[in-house]
């Protein structure tokens, strides 16, 4: 009997104690999701006394045929491509550099990690001024080498999205540098010492030891990159608000504009549902199929 009571006290009592908090977290998390999915099947302008009009899957048909939404999906692809070709490799190289534990690495880490702790709104405003064609800092620097150069980085539809993506890479490369350096720190130093005895140094060690043993860190990076790209909002909204001519539109900004600027709450909820489902599918695919040991 005492053993039974001991087990009850050990497992069930703590579970009962945390149950209210868990229930509240579940309610606060899943209730808005369910409400958003439900609202995506209606046409509603957000006014409480105005009845919601059922439209079935019409919002989804409209979304997939919307040219602005198609542009926003392409821009998310550009964010992902940037993460694979630019942000990830640069963060990995920086992580290799700071893993040497040389003097001054603490300040090096701080310098690259600083954009992560600064509010994105402040960063977006700062870069909007830096990239301004009239009084920004970038154009005069380039004109020092090419006097005829003058580009409107955020006003030209051809290059605006590339400018935003580059700023995004600058912001998050420090965070991913820390993720990769944590994975490198977990690799036993004895492996590198053994490799040096066998004559493997430099890039050979990176290819044969570092990369295979930090695949979990790379998986974490890919999952964060996929979900982060889908949720991109602050940077784009403050720098361009989706313009010019919707060339920098992303799903989160489009969701905000449709919901709060155009009072299309049902259509906005449809885009929010797309972001949620796509993020979940992308995370599951990355977690299940990328870099498996099977």
């Amino acid at each position: 009997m005492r053993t039974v009571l001991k087990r009850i006290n050990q497992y069930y009592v703590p579970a009962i104690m945390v149950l209210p908090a868990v229930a509240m977290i579940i309610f606060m998390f899943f209730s808005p999701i369910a409400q958003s999915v439900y609202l995506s099947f209606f046409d509603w302008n957000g006014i409480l006394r105005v009845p919601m009009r059922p439209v079935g899957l019409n919002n989804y048909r409209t979304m997939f045929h919307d040219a602005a939404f198609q542009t926003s999906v392409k821009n998310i692809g550009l964010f992902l491509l940037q993460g694979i070709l630019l942000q990830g490799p640069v963060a990995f190289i920086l992580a290799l550099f700071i893993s040497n534990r040389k003097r001054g690495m603490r300040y090096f880490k701080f310098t690259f990690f600083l954009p992560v702790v600064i509010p994105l709104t402040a960063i977006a405003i700062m870069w909007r001024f830096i990239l301004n064609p009239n009084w920004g800092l970038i154009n005069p620097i380039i004109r020092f080498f090419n006097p005829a150069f003058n580009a409107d980085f955020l006003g030209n539809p051809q290059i605006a999205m590339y400018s935003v993506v580059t700023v995004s890479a600058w912001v998050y490369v420090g965070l991913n540098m820390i993720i990769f350096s944590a994975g490198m720190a977990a690799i036993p130093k004895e492996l590198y010492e053994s490799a040096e005895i066998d004559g493997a140094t430099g890039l050979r060690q990176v290819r044969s030891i570092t990369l295979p043993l930090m695949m979990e860190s790379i998986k974490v990076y890919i999952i964060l990159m996929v979900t982060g790209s889908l949720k991109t909002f602050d940077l784009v909204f403050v720098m361009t608000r989706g313009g010019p001519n919707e060339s920098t539109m992303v799903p989160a900004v489009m969701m905000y504009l449709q919901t709060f600027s155009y009072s299309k709450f049902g259509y906005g909820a449809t885009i929010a549902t797309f972001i949620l489902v796509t993020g979940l599918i992308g995370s599951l695919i990355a977690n299940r199929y990328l870099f498996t040991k099977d």
Side-chain angles (χ1 to χ4, degrees):
M1 185 66 180
R2 290 182 179 179
T3 305
V4 174
L5 292 175
K6 186 177 180 180
R7 288 182 178 178
I8 291 175
N9 291 331
Q10 184 178 1
Y11 296 106
Y12 294 102
V13 173
I16 293 174
M17 295 295 291
V18 301
L19 186 61
V22 173
M24 182 172 292
I25 292 172
I26 292 175
F27 175 77
M28 296 294 290
F29 182 76
F30 286 105
S31 178
I33 292 176
Q35 185 178 9
S36 181
V37 174
Y38 175 77
L39 187 58
S40 67
F41 297 102
F42 292 86
D43 180 18
W44 187 46
N45 61 5
I47 300 176
L48 187 62
R49 295 182 180 274
V50 176
M52 297 188 297
R53 184 170 62 90
V55 293
L57 296 175
N58 188 57
N59 283 332
Y60 291 91
R61 296 191 191 97
T62 302
M63 180 182 69
F64 287 116
H65 288 87
D66 193 335
F69 176 77
Q70 294 172 3
T71 300
S72 72
V73 173
K74 293 178 182 178
N75 289 337
I76 291 300
L78 189 60
F79 271 102
L80 295 174
L81 190 64
Q82 168 270 134
I84 296 172
L85 300 180
L86 177 62
Q87 188 181 147
V90 171
F92 184 80
I93 293 171
L94 293 175
L96 284 174
F97 186 70
I98 65 175
S99 64
N100 291 327
R101 301 182 182 275
K102 293 182 179 179
R103 194 172 179 180
M105 286 299 101
R106 180 182 303 176
Y107 304 103
F108 186 86
K109 291 180 184 178
F110 174 77
T111 301
F112 281 92
F113 192 74
L114 184 61
V116 180
V117 299
I118 299 177
L120 271 179
T121 303
I123 289 177
I125 293 174
M126 177 186 73
W127 276 100
R128 194 172 64 184
F129 279 101
I130 292 175
L131 296 173
N132 188 281
N134 299 317
W135 58 78
L137 183 63
I138 299 297
N139 271 326
I141 293 176
I142 300 178
R143 275 198 294 267
F144 180 81
F145 302 97
N146 182 10
F149 182 86
N150 187 33
D152 190 354
F153 292 99
L154 298 179
N156 186 344
Q158 303 298 324
I159 61 174
M161 194 62 210
Y162 297 102
S163 303
V164 174
V165 164
T166 303
V167 173
S168 177
W170 176 81
V171 171
Y172 290 108
V173 71
L175 173 63
N176 298 309
M177 174 190 70
I178 298 300
I179 292 174
F180 289 148
S181 64
M184 293 176 187
I187 300 175
K189 300 300 179 184
E190 293 80 5
L191 294 177
Y192 293 104
E193 294 172 359
S194 300
E196 288 181 1
I197 294 174
D198 293 336
T201 58
L203 293 176
R204 181 66 182 275
Q205 288 187 0
V206 174
R207 186 174 65 252
S208 303
I209 299 175
T210 307
L211 279 173
L213 293 180
M214 58 177 298
M215 285 304 177
E216 288 300 320
S217 297
I218 296 176
K219 182 189 292 185
V220 170
Y221 163 69
I222 290 177
I223 292 174
L224 291 177
M225 180 188 64
V226 171
T227 56
S229 298
L230 285 167
K231 295 187 300 181
T232 298
F233 175 80
D234 314 58
L235 210 60
V236 176
F237 186 80
V238 177
M239 290 183 71
T240 64
R241 203 178 173 86
N245 298 330
E246 299 179 339
S247 61
T248 61
M249 187 65 70
V250 290
V253 172
M254 186 176 177
M255 175 195 69
Y256 176 88
L257 294 176
Q258 292 293 334
T259 304
F260 300 107
S261 296
Y262 310 139
S263 297
K264 297 181 179 180
F265 280 72
Y267 192 33
T270 304
I271 302 173
T273 304
F274 168 83
I275 296 173
L276 171 68
V277 173
T278 308
L280 286 175
I281 293 174
S283 300
L284 290 173
I285 291 174
N287 190 56
R288 176 67 179 85
Y289 295 105
L290 291 183
F291 312 117
T292 57
K293 298 179 181 179
D294 299 335

